[in-house]
Amino acid sequence: MQTRLFIGGAFVDAIAGGTIPVLNPHDGSTITHIAEAREADVDAAVAAARAAFPAWSRMAAADRGRLLLKLADRIEAEAESLARLESLDTGHPLRDTRGLDVPRTAATFRYFGGMADKLQGSVVPVETGFLNYVQRTPLGVVGQIVPWNFPLMFTSWKMGPALAAGNCVVLKPAEITPLSTLRIAELMAEVGFPPGVVNILPGYGHTAGQHLAEHPGVDKIAFTGSTATGRRIVQASAGNLKRVQLELGGKGANIVFEDAFLPAAINGSAFAIFHNQGQACIAGSRLLLHEKIADAFLDGFLKLAQSIKIGDPLDPSTEMGPLTSGQHQARVLDYCQIAHQQGGEVLTGGAPPQVQALSKGFYLQPTVVRAKPTDRVCQEEVFGPFVSVSTFKDDAEAIEIANGTEYGLGGGLWTQHLARAHRVAAAMRSGMVWINCYKRVNPGSPFGGIGQSGYGREMGFEAMHDYTDAKSVWVNVDAQIPPWYPR
Ligand code: NAD
C-alpha cells in the first residue's frame, strides 16, 4: 500500500515529515498513516508539473491517449484489489465498488483516452483573403482538489480530461480517503506516464489545498466539495486569476407524480438516496410525492429502506456500509435532531443500527423524515442516508418546491406522461435531470450544476473545453489590405 506523496514520478516523504492517520470506517481502527503534504510539498509538485508540461503538451495527442487507455486496462486488471482498497478506506460496499466505482473509473479513463485525439479545433468563415482557425490549447498546470465520497472515481473524472487535453496535474485527494488515489498514481507510473505529468498530494484542505488554490504556478483549479469551501477556492484563485471549475453541493429533488410506475419509482428513489450511504452530491435527498400516491409510495419505500442490509463493506452481500467518517456520522445525526426540532417526523431510521458488530463503526440506518419544504432538512445538504418527504398537489407546486433551494445540481422525476416528463424537466433549475431513473452518469454526458452547486462541467466534450483555451490564429492568405495610414 503506497502511503507517500507522488511527486515528479517518485513516491517521496513529506518535507516536514508529518503524517495523517487513515481510519477504517467499519470499526474506527487505523489502517495506516500517510505522508502529509504541506506548502513546500505543493511547491515541489507544481515545479515538477511545470517542468513536465512542455514535453507533455507537445506529445502527439494519440500518444497521450494511449497512456490513458493503458491505464484503463491496468485498472481493470487490478479491479478486485482496487475495489477492496476503496471499500476499506471509504466504507462503500464491495458490491458497489466492484459493480460501479471501479468499472466507471476504467470507463472514464478509457473514454478520455479515446477523446485525446478527437478534440478538434475549427475554421471560422471570415473575410475573403483571410484564414482564421481556432485551436484548443492546454491550460498548463491544473490543480485538482477532490472530496472523500468517491475518491477513486473522481481520479478519472478529474484527471482524464485534463491529461487528454495536454495539461499536467497536481491532485489533492481528501485527507481521509487517499489510498485508492495513491494506488492509481502507482499504476500511472507503471504504464509509463512521464515523471511530473501527474503529482498526488494527500494533505489537509486549509494547508495543502489552500496553497494549491492560491499558487501562482497553477493555471486552473478544479474543485469538488462543499459550497463553503468552493467560495474559499474562488477567493484563493484571485491572485493570478486562475481558471476555476466548481462541483459543489446539491439538494436533489426527486418528484413522483400520481401516474408514475410505483415499483420502479420506489426502487429508483431508494437507489437515489441510499447508494453510497447518501454521500453523493447528486443524491435524491428530497422526495416530493403527489398527495394521491404518497401513502402507497411510502408504504413500499419504507419497507424497502428497512430491509436494506447494513454491514461490513467488505462483505459482498452488504447493501449499505458505514458513513466515511465519525465526524460526518455525527453531522448527519445532528440533522435528525434538527428535523425533530422543526416539527418533522422521523418515519424510519434516525439512529445507528443497534447491532453489536457494527457499534464501533460510523453506521446509520436509512432515515426517512416527513418535513416541510422550507425546513432546514429540506434546504441544507445532509449528505447521508437521509431523505426528506413532502407532498404536492399539482405540477406547478412540484416545480416550485423542486426549484426552492439555493442548489441546482441534479434532480429526477417519475411519470408515464411523456409531455409532462419533458415539460417538468425543462422547468427544473438543475444541471442534470433524470426521467424515470436517477443518478445515471456516463463519461460522455456533461456533469455539473448551476446556482450554489457551482459552474463548469466534468465529462464529455464540455470537460475537454473546460481544460483548454481557444486560440484564434489569423492568416493573410491573399487579401489586399488598403493601408490604414495612407502615406
Ligand atoms: P470539503 O469542501 O470540506 O472538502 C473537499 C476537499 O476540499 C477536500 O480535499 C478538502 O481537504 C479540501 N479543502 C477543504 N478546505 C479547503 C481550502 N480552504 N482550500 C482548498 N481545499 C480545501 O467537502 P467534503 O466534506 O470533503 O465533501 C463533501 C461535500 O462535497 C458535500 O457538500 C458534497 O455535496 C460535495 N460534493 C460535490 C460533488 C459535485 O460533483 N458537485 C461531488 C462530491 C461531493
Side-chain angles (χ1 to χ4, degrees):
M1 184 184 294
Q2 270 303 341
T3 57
R4 297 192 293 169
L5 315 180
F6 185 66
I7 299 178
F11 286 94
V12 296
D13 288 319
I15 292 169
T19 60
I20 302 175
V22 181
L23 304 186
N24 179 347
H26 168 59
D27 58 11
S29 63
T30 303
I31 302 170
T32 187
H33 287 79
I34 49 149
E36 180 204 345
R38 299 290 301 243
E39 290 81 348
D41 306 294
V42 173
D43 292 342
V46 171
R50 288 238 77 91
F53 178 68
W56 180 248
S57 56
R58 278 200 300 269
M59 182 188 276
D63 291 337
R64 286 199 301 268
R66 195 171 301 137
L67 286 170
L68 288 164
L69 295 173
K70 276 192 194 168
L71 176 64
D73 290 345
R74 279 297 281 128
I75 289 169
E76 277 170 352
E78 295 288 325
E80 182 61 17
S81 64
L82 270 169
R84 288 186 165 275
L85 187 64
E86 187 75 338
S87 289
L88 179 74
D89 196 5
T90 63
H92 297 198
L94 194 55
R95 68 172 211 152
D96 289 346
T97 53
R98 277 179 179 163
L100 295 175
D101 301 50
V102 173
R104 284 178 173 175
T105 303
T108 305
F109 277 123
R110 184 166 290 127
Y111 175 88
F112 285 108
M115 172 74 89
D117 60 355
K118 313 293 182 295
L119 182 73
Q120 299 181 350
S122 59
V123 176
V124 182
V126 293
E127 297 81 356
T128 305
F130 291 93
L131 168 68
N132 177 235
Y133 61 92
V134 180
Q135 291 175 309
R136 305 294 322 182
T137 58
L139 304 175
V141 173
V142 175
Q144 303 185 319
I145 300 177
V146 293
W148 42 261
N149 56 338
F150 291 101
L152 175 65
M153 222 168 64
F154 287 159
T155 62
S156 61
W157 289 29
K158 285 273 180 284
M159 291 200 280
L163 295 171
N167 301 284
C168 292
V169 165
V170 178
L171 184 146
K172 192 197 85 60
E175 54 274 27
I176 61 172
T177 55
L179 300 181
S180 57
T181 311
L182 290 169
R183 179 69 184 129
I184 291 292
E186 221 170 6
L187 298 181
M188 288 178 130
E190 266 179 51
V191 301
F193 278 85
V197 167
V198 167
N199 304 273
I200 306 292
L201 298 183
Y204 291 109
H206 64 282
T207 52
Q210 181 79 24
H211 194 59
L212 187 60
E214 287 169 355
H215 209 291
V218 171
D219 301 289
K220 167 174 173 166
I221 194 94
F223 171 77
T224 297
S226 61
T227 299
T229 307
R231 285 203 187 88
R232 280 198 282 280
I233 298 277
V234 172
Q235 284 158 4
S237 71
N240 69 335
L241 295 179
K242 59 174 64 66
R243 286 250 212 127
V244 181
Q245 181 181 337
L246 301 173
E247 301 291 352
L248 308 177
K251 194 69 191 171
N254 185 23
I255 311 172
V256 185
F257 288 99
E258 70 277 23
D259 60 0
F261 178 55
L262 282 195
I266 288 169
N267 213 288
S269 301
F271 176 75
I273 184 62
F274 299 128
H275 166 242
N276 198 27
Q277 296 74 255
Q279 301 169 130
C281 48
I282 53 174
S285 55
R286 289 184 296 148
L287 255 178
L288 311 185
L289 305 178
H290 191 279
E291 56 188 17
K292 277 193 194 145
I293 49 86
D295 288 347
F297 179 95
L298 276 177
D299 190 44
F301 187 73
L302 292 177
K303 278 197 190 106
L304 201 165
Q306 286 156 357
S307 73
I308 289 176
K309 187 169 179 241
I310 306 176
D312 183 346
L314 290 173
D315 175 345
S317 69
T318 290
E319 294 174 330
M320 209 173 98
L323 297 179
T324 299
S325 72
Q327 199 186 9
H328 189 55
Q329 180 201 35
R331 183 172 174 268
V332 179
L333 280 167
D334 275 351
Y335 274 104
C336 300
Q337 291 308 315
I338 291 168
H340 272 303
Q341 286 158 12
Q342 295 201 302
E345 182 191 357
V346 177
L347 301 176
T348 190
Q354 301 306 308
V355 178
Q356 185 56 31
L358 306 180
S359 60
K360 289 191 183 147
F362 312 137
Y363 289 89
L364 187 67
Q365 293 171 16
T367 298
V368 184
V369 173
R370 199 193 295 275
K372 298 184 296 301
T374 49
D375 287 354
R376 281 183 62 191
V377 292
C378 297
Q379 293 290 321
E380 298 171 20
E381 186 176 47
V382 178
F383 216 58
F386 181 110
V387 62
S388 66
V389 182
S390 317
T391 55
F392 63 88
K393 285 191 183 55
D394 54 25
D395 293 17
E397 190 184 11
I399 292 164
E400 191 187 327
I401 299 174
N403 291 345
T405 76
E406 62 180 6
Y407 294 112
L409 191 57
L413 61 106
W414 301 81
T415 176
Q416 299 191 68
H417 190 303
L418 183 69
R420 165 188 269 169
H422 292 290
R423 198 171 54 238
V424 176
M428 284 173 81
R429 215 180 123 264
S430 184
M432 291 160 284
V433 176
W434 296 279
I435 298 173
N436 292 332
C437 58
Y438 204 100
K439 258 178 116 175
R440 302 294 314 174
V441 293
N442 181 284
S445 181
F447 184 103
I450 58 177
Q452 302 300 297
S453 295
Y455 45 77
R457 290 293 179 269
E458 309 216 80
M459 313 291 221
F461 278 97
E462 303 274 345
M464 294 295 281
H465 276 203
D466 278 5
Y467 280 106
T468 51
D469 277 320
K471 179 171 188 173
S472 171
V473 180
W474 285 85
V475 188
N476 180 350
V477 183
D478 61 6
Q480 298 301 313
I481 312 177
W484 197 254
Y485 300 104
R487 295 283 187 272

